[in-house]
Amino acid sequence: MNIDAILTGVQLILTPTSILLILVSVLLGVTVGALPGLSSTMAVALLLPFTLGLDPVVAIAMMAALYCAGTFGGSITAILINAPGAPPAVATALDGYPLAQRGEAGRALGVAAIASVGGGILSLFIFIAAAPLLASVALSFRPQEYFALTLFGLSMLASISGKSSLRNLIAGFFGVLVSTVGIHMVTGIERFTFGTSVLYEGIDFVPVLIGIFAISEMLKQSQAGDEVMERIRSVALRLPSRDDLRRIWATILRSTGIGTIIGILPAEGTTVAAIMGYNEAKRWSKHPEEFGKGSIEGVAGPEAANNAGTSGAMVPTLALGIPGSGTTAVILAALIMHGFRPGPFLMRENPEILYAIFTAMLIANFAFLFIGLLGAKVFSMITLIPRTFLWPSVFCFAVVGAFAYQQQMFDVWVMLIAGLVGFLALRHGFGPAPFVMGLVLGELIEKNWSQSMIIFNSDWTRFFDSPICNLFFVMTALSLSSPFLKPVIKRLFKRRSVTP
């Protein structure tokens, strides 16, 4: 363990300015998380260009803190008004809202906060242990192993939560296609530039990310009228009692393990973790009949799992350069933008960033415990803001953010086009996360493929000389076929259960 790197990373965060920026990120994250329709991924994408003038480590730490807080923020409105501010909070609403209906909103919020902080902190220690270990193994990787690993990361799009595995793969393919725009790094051939010099260096991902997450969602929300939210009743904060803690501690530990493992798997994300955390909480509960009617275990399970998933998702992002979720794909893009080399070289060349992010996420977990709970009523009333005021503000931030990146109007047009394309894609069931992962990983795939072909003298069969490559190729095949194999396996189990 590098003591100097630990001290440097902690010192970068434990300054008045850095702590203030992290607290602002937490406040922004909880606010965005509480607003139905807005997501932490979109907020991180909007924040990205505004961090250019900051210390790179502090900038990444701010995004990680916003990621944590946004995941928790969705539970506030899910519990109080049955309006999940984020997809993972849907599972929290199943028991959180019934608790609020019978006058125990403060108790539900207290359980959600303790479970979130508990899951987040425990998973952070797993993250700090697993990331360097994984990176040290990956340091022995050559370009061909990196190519196989990145290919496996892309194949995980088939199993990401969404309407269709095929749609996810198509969206990921188009993300890879967009990443090829510009001059090829080896041959010098122009691709999809159409004679425009501004495209020689490719399409920057910052305006694309802002457009695909913010503008497309704005266009989608513009089709819906303002929903009438119920007025917020008085909410008195109530931390869990000893009996409550005795009842939920095992659920928190179990869901933390589930969330961390799901988060580490590329492309799974916190929504899958929350659903699995809820299901397992019900499976192991001594009172499963209470679920859906106001069980505190039904609140603790998904909240511990989805916040543990945020730390878990950071492991492959920092250690391997493979994003664990849509938000970490944006954070990975931020690492590249700020001049870091994602993957094991990041751990070797800039180990302080690992400990800085760990410290920032630790501060964020304690911060949203106080900010989120003490201001729960205020954050819930944010949902009463009409869309006619909310979305024009988002649009202005998007335009300013896209322009601020390189001070050129071309990026604004890229953002608007990406937003329109993203909106049309959403209407036909194509999610933004697979596209973004394809966009970020596409450059890595092409670079490692080109380097491997130079090493192999254009003989692609030599990929199979490496046992690690063969392992990742097998995993890729299994990952791509899993959506089609699952129904077959389920039918086989059903037949066996019917057969006497």
Side-chain angles (χ1 to χ4, degrees):
M1 185 175 288
N2 191 334
I3 302 299
D4 290 336
I6 295 174
L7 293 175
T8 302
V10 173
Q11 286 172 0
L12 282 169
I13 299 302
L14 294 183
T15 64
T17 303
S18 299
I19 292 175
L20 178 62
L21 289 173
I22 289 171
L23 292 178
V24 170
S25 297
V26 171
L27 185 62
L28 178 63
V30 175
T31 304
V32 168
L35 279 165
L38 300 187
S39 66
S40 57
T41 308
M42 186 182 75
V44 172
L46 286 172
L47 181 65
L48 184 57
F50 294 101
T51 63
L52 287 173
L54 299 175
D55 181 277
V57 177
V58 176
I60 304 301
M62 284 180 66
M63 295 178 195
L66 194 156
Y67 182 27
C68 289
T71 305
F72 167 73
S75 67
I76 296 175
T77 46
I79 290 170
L80 294 180
I81 57 176
N82 200 28
V90 172
T92 306
L94 296 176
D95 282 279
Y97 185 60
L99 279 167
Q101 283 182 310
R102 64 182 196 224
E104 297 185 82
R107 182 188 181 203
L109 285 169
V111 168
I114 294 299
S116 297
V117 173
I121 291 175
L122 289 173
S123 66
L124 274 173
F125 286 100
I126 299 174
F127 154 60
I128 204 71
L133 183 63
L134 199 59
S136 63
V137 173
L139 276 172
S140 61
F141 282 19
R142 297 165 295 177
Q144 54 266 41
E145 281 88 11
Y146 273 118
F147 170 78
L149 170 64
T150 313
L151 189 66
F152 169 63
L154 276 179
S155 73
M156 293 296 290
L157 296 177
S159 56
I160 193 174
S161 54
K163 290 185 178 180
S164 164
S165 300
L166 183 60
R167 286 188 176 94
N168 290 336
L169 290 172
I170 291 172
F173 167 78
F174 275 102
V176 173
L177 189 64
V178 171
S179 73
T180 63
V181 173
I183 297 177
H184 190 270
M185 59 176 290
V186 176
T187 63
I189 296 174
E190 295 179 21
R191 301 167 302 176
F192 308 112
T193 59
F194 306 103
T196 306
S197 59
V198 75
L199 289 175
Y200 285 171
E201 295 184 6
I203 296 177
D204 287 300
F205 42 71
V206 173
V208 174
L209 293 178
I210 294 173
I212 206 79
F213 284 112
I215 301 301
S216 62
E217 189 63 34
M218 181 191 75
L219 293 173
K220 178 185 174 184
Q221 295 285 334
S222 68
Q223 293 185 308
D226 281 329
E227 296 178 6
V228 179
M229 297 289 184
E230 66 176 77
R231 291 288 168 178
I232 310 303
R233 297 181 293 273
S234 60
V235 178
L237 170 63
R238 178 185 164 190
L239 291 175
S241 63
R242 284 187 179 182
D243 289 338
D244 288 341
L245 291 173
R246 194 178 297 115
R247 186 170 172 180
I248 64 175
W249 72 268
T251 299
I252 292 174
L253 290 177
R254 187 187 311 112
S255 293
T256 298
I258 292 169
T260 305
I261 292 169
I262 294 297
I264 289 174
L265 294 174
E268 288 298 333
T270 54
T271 304
V272 176
I275 293 170
M276 289 190 66
Y278 182 86
N279 289 339
E280 291 306 308
K282 184 176 181 180
R283 184 198 302 271
W284 290 89
S285 175
K286 295 179 181 178
H287 306 282
E289 71 281 355
E290 294 181 6
F291 279 70
K293 301 174 184 177
S295 170
I296 59 170
E297 292 171 274
V299 174
E303 282 302 302
N306 66 30
N307 278 275
T310 60
S311 302
M314 294 295 288
V315 173
T317 304
L318 295 175
L320 301 176
I322 304 295
S325 67
T327 310
T328 51
V330 180
I331 293 175
L332 183 65
L335 284 167
I336 298 169
M337 188 185 79
H338 280 284
F340 294 111
R341 297 175 66 188
F345 290 102
L346 180 70
M347 302 282 92
R348 185 172 68 180
E349 297 170 1
N350 305 98
E352 68 278 0
I353 194 171
L354 174 70
Y355 303 104
I357 290 174
F358 170 79
T359 307
M361 293 177 78
L362 195 63
I363 293 171
N365 273 277
F366 285 111
F368 69 64
L369 173 63
F370 296 102
I371 293 174
L373 287 177
L374 297 179
K377 183 177 178 180
V378 176
F379 286 117
S380 298
M381 293 183 72
I382 289 173
T383 60
L384 302 175
I385 298 174
R387 287 190 176 93
T388 50
F389 294 110
L390 176 64
W391 286 106
S393 303
V394 172
F395 179 77
C396 291
F397 277 114
V399 171
V400 172
F403 182 79
Y405 178 48
Q406 295 187 118
Q407 288 83 46
Q408 58 181 17
M409 277 302 297
F410 178 77
D411 287 337
V412 177
W413 289 112
V414 168
M415 177 204 68
L416 294 174
I417 293 170
L420 181 60
V421 172
F423 167 66
L424 295 174
L426 281 172
R427 289 188 64 180
H428 292 88
F430 294 90
F435 174 84
V436 170
M437 291 184 183
L439 178 65
V440 174
L441 295 178
E443 183 180 353
L444 299 176
I445 277 209
E446 183 180 29
K447 181 183 77 173
N448 289 306
W449 168 266
S450 299
Q451 290 176 346
S452 299
M453 286 294 97
I454 293 172
I455 294 170
F456 294 156
N457 197 22
S458 300
D459 182 8
W460 61 269
T461 60
R462 290 181 60 186
F463 274 105
F464 301 102
D465 294 341
S466 167
I468 297 176
C469 285
N470 290 330
L471 174 63
F472 281 123
F473 288 150
V474 170
M475 293 170 67
T476 299
L478 291 173
S479 177
L480 289 172
S481 59
S482 63
F484 309 102
L485 292 176
K486 283 179 183 177
V488 176
I489 294 171
K490 284 181 180 179
R491 283 198 293 269
L492 288 173
F493 275 108
K494 282 183 180 179
R495 286 179 185 175
R496 286 187 178 184
S497 62
V498 171
T499 304

